[in-house]
Amino acid sequence: MRFFCAPGLPFGSPKGVAENWRISPTAMVAALVVLLCAGLSSPSSGAEFQTLKGHGGPVMDISVSPTNGLVATASFDNSVGVWSGRTPRWLEGHEAAVKVVRFVDGTRIVSAGDDNDLILWDLETGTQNRLEGHTAKVIGLAVSPDRQLIASASWDTRIGLWPVQGGAPVFLEGHTAGVNKIAFSRDGKWLFSASVDGSIKLWKLGENAEKRIIDRNGFGINVMVLGGDKAGSAAWIAYGSQDGVTRIVDLATDERLHDFALERRPILAMALSPDGSRLATGDGHGFITVIDTKTWSIEKDFKAALKGPIWALAFSKDGQVLHAGGIENIVYSWPVADLASYDPMVQETPQFLRKPEDMSNGERQFARKCSICHALTADGGRKAGPTLYKVFGRRAGTLTGYPYSETLAGSDIIWSEETINQLFLDGPDHFIPGSKMPMQRITGSEDRDDLIDFLKTATNAGATGGGTQ
Ligand code: HEC
């Protein structure tokens, strides 16, 4: 596989994180994926359980190349991983969490996320091309069947259409709230969109006009896939919603065919096996449900993550393995044949999920508000922010190897009890305007004091828990 054998090739430099982001530990999940690529073999199921490790933040999306079976992962750590076997190659360029990744063809990948931009990566030449135009985060991407057009779904309520060869984008407007997911019809002439406004819309490409509303749900629609076959076109659309329903709608009649509601909300991930026989969903309670699309019955329903939601799901090229992202920074890959005969995800509880009563207030502040982005150990791992190891006395923006914003790199702040206190009293957006740190204030002075006390010890020793990889 040529260039893939060299992990960690430089692809430009990463920037940090971003956006107004408030941490809700229970919402952080992570997970896993893994491997594949060439034929997985094991006599019983033809596949083995595996994990993909290396990301420094939860895995938000997983995509499998239909041509060569490579796996791509999008992570909260701002990077995209491209996995050949268990060896990652990192694509660095996004300035915030990456929420979605898709293969354009065998050698090109498109990704997008909280920095509002798409990046088109050429794995062969190592180049990256930034596609700018959205004004809010982009969390859905699709590639047309002829691979000439990329469609993007954004929380600016628009759908973007980007010619792969370059050229100006076209934006489709019509949704009244953020667009979460987007899909092309098999002939590439139509586009389906799913939105926070609760509707699934159909658009005619070429005319670039909205044609009809396929379904309206009372709650936002998070995920969707097209499946089945009727004269060469998809026969149905499946969607998963904020209120926990997985619904199948007939595309010829718009009739609702099946509803699966297991009282677990929201549905956050959805994947169809390459042969169309299995529809998998992941939900906010950490369950993966596999539905048999011939009988429309639930084939498997198991708790895949002990804590937190399932955010990402994708079947391997041969359909035998289901890759999932949950609370850890790891992708878990389960053989579909014996799903549920494995232990759930999460081998070691990430710091932000440890029991609050086991921690001092300062450690709890760090665990909840900082640990997703900062390590405390000398080796900072792949996290969105720089390690805070020995941060006291350090001049801002000076850790070698971390791609700071210009603002922080050029700052003359020295980190101390006073300056860190001020940072979270005012919030990074006021204390260092232009920094990549997310807006976040810690209003309780006791909480700030406790956090700083904890940091004073933990950043020197690196021994007090902290930096999980
Ligand atoms: C969502 C990710 C994120 C969270 C959460 C976060 N940070 Fe940061 N932090 C960053 C990024 C990104 C930078 C680098 C900013 C830049 O380059 O402009 C940074 C920089 C810093 C710096 C400056 C380090 C240096 O080398 O100059 C300190 C100190 C810091 N953060 C402390 C904290 C603390 C304490 C918390 C928790 C209360 C926290 N951060 C929460 C992402 C985060």
Side-chain angles (χ1 to χ4, degrees):
M1 302 241 75
R2 294 169 299 171
F3 52 86
F4 280 110
C5 300
L9 296 187
F11 249 91
S13 63
K15 294 273 164 97
V17 138
E19 187 178 93
N20 317 353
W21 188 79
R22 290 180 52 239
I23 301 168
S24 148
T26 51
M28 312 285 12
V29 163
L32 57 110
V33 163
V34 164
L35 75 105
L36 68 118
C37 219
L40 307 153
S41 55
S42 128
S44 60
S45 66
E48 285 170 16
F49 174 75
Q50 307 252 11
T51 57
L52 295 183
K53 296 185 180 175
H55 272 300
V59 175
M60 311 300 297
D61 193 29
I62 304 169
S63 177
V64 173
S65 165
T67 53
N68 56 22
L70 285 173
V71 174
T73 47
S75 170
F76 196 86
D77 69 9
N78 298 2
S79 64
V80 171
V82 183
W83 305 81
S84 171
R86 306 185 66 184
T87 306
R89 172 183 176 182
W90 304 112
L91 309 184
E92 308 277 14
H94 281 291
E95 295 178 9
V98 191
K99 294 291 179 62
V100 52
V101 60
R102 288 290 173 273
F103 281 90
V104 174
D105 51 31
T107 57
R108 284 179 299 181
I109 285 177
V110 61
S111 59
D114 288 359
D115 63 5
N116 308 351
D117 295 341
L118 281 66
I119 296 183
L120 185 58
W121 312 86
D122 188 317
L123 300 177
E124 249 166 6
T125 62
T127 52
Q128 55 172 281
N129 187 7
R130 188 173 284 269
L131 308 177
E132 299 176 11
H134 278 298
T135 54
K137 65 182 172 183
V138 176
I139 61 175
L141 288 171
V143 177
S144 64
D146 64 4
R147 300 166 195 281
Q148 298 299 313
L149 197 60
I150 293 165
S152 53
S154 168
W155 275 32
D156 65 13
T157 75
R158 299 180 301 167
I159 295 160
L161 297 174
W162 312 79
V164 171
Q165 296 312 326
V170 169
F171 291 99
L172 307 183
E173 300 186 29
H175 279 293
T176 55
V179 189
N180 282 332
K181 287 288 173 281
I182 192 94
F184 282 92
S185 63
R186 282 180 203 156
D187 62 7
K189 294 181 177 158
W190 302 85
L191 205 56
F192 298 83
S193 58
S195 164
V196 178
D197 69 18
S199 68
I200 302 260
K201 290 190 180 207
L202 179 68
W203 308 77
K204 179 113 174 78
L205 289 165
E207 291 173 28
N208 295 335
E210 182 182 329
K211 284 295 166 183
R212 78 173 201 264
I213 291 179
I214 292 180
D215 201 13
R216 240 182 222 299
N217 185 49
F219 291 79
I221 299 177
N222 294 330
V223 288
M224 113 189 126
V225 301
L226 297 173
D229 188 83
K230 199 165 194 177
S233 298
W236 47 261
I237 192 164
Y239 70 76
S241 80
Q242 195 63 22
D243 59 332
V245 172
T246 296
R247 177 166 292 143
I248 320 299
V249 177
D250 187 301
L251 284 176
T253 62
D254 293 353
E255 185 193 343
R256 290 179 174 183
L257 300 173
H258 306 280
D259 270 8
F260 298 87
L262 297 171
E263 306 275 308
R264 293 191 299 253
R265 59 195 65 162
I267 304 295
L268 295 166
M270 187 174 268
L272 187 67
S273 64
D275 67 0
S277 67
R278 289 178 166 124
L279 179 70
T281 63
D283 65 39
H285 294 248
F287 282 78
I288 292 178
T289 306
V290 179
I291 296 167
D292 180 327
T293 63
K294 302 251 168 5
T295 58
W296 291 111
S297 58
I298 293 179
E299 179 185 342
K300 303 246 158 75
D301 181 48
F302 78 112
K303 185 138 172 76
L306 288 179
K307 297 188 176 175
I310 298 293
W311 268 338
L313 283 177
F315 282 93
S316 61
K317 186 166 175 267
D318 64 7
Q320 298 202 31
V321 173
L322 185 56
H323 306 293
I327 206 83
E328 287 181 286
N329 307 339
I330 303 172
V331 171
Y332 282 66
S333 303
W334 281 280
V336 178
D338 22 53
L339 271 178
S341 57
Y342 293 87
D343 289 339
M345 285 151 53
V346 178
Q347 293 157 342
E348 130 194 11
T349 309
Q351 193 181 21
F352 55 85
L353 289 177
R354 276 178 43 208
K355 283 212 194 104
E357 57 271 26
D358 294 349
M359 296 184 247
S360 68
N361 183 45
E363 182 176 12
R364 195 156 57 230
Q365 294 294 321
F366 180 81
R368 286 192 180 154
K369 299 174 180 165
C370 323
S371 69
I372 188 99
C373 295
H374 290 289
L376 294 170
T377 46
D379 169 12
R382 303 187 61 76
K383 293 217 175 232
T387 178
L388 298 182
Y389 179 66
K390 294 204 189 296
V391 73
F392 289 90
R394 185 159 96 199
R395 185 177 164 156
T398 54
L399 200 69
T400 44
Y402 180 81
Y404 289 98
S405 64
E406 281 176 28
T407 312
L408 209 66
S411 150
D412 52 13
I413 296 168
I414 309 281
W415 295 117
S416 64
E417 288 177 40
E418 292 72 34
T419 50
I420 293 182
N421 181 58
Q422 206 64 39
L423 178 66
F424 293 104
L425 174 64
D426 300 348
D429 46 320
H430 286 110
F431 189 63
I432 339 173
S435 143
K436 296 183 300 182
M437 267 265 251
M439 262 195 244
Q440 168 171 237
R441 293 177 60 216
I442 300 178
T443 46
S445 64
E446 241 173 72
D447 288 344
R448 287 196 309 276
D449 290 349
D450 290 349
L451 170 66
I452 289 165
D453 278 348
F454 167 75
L455 283 175
K456 279 197 297 200
T457 324
T459 58
N460 279 321
T464 325
T468 48
Q469 19 185 318

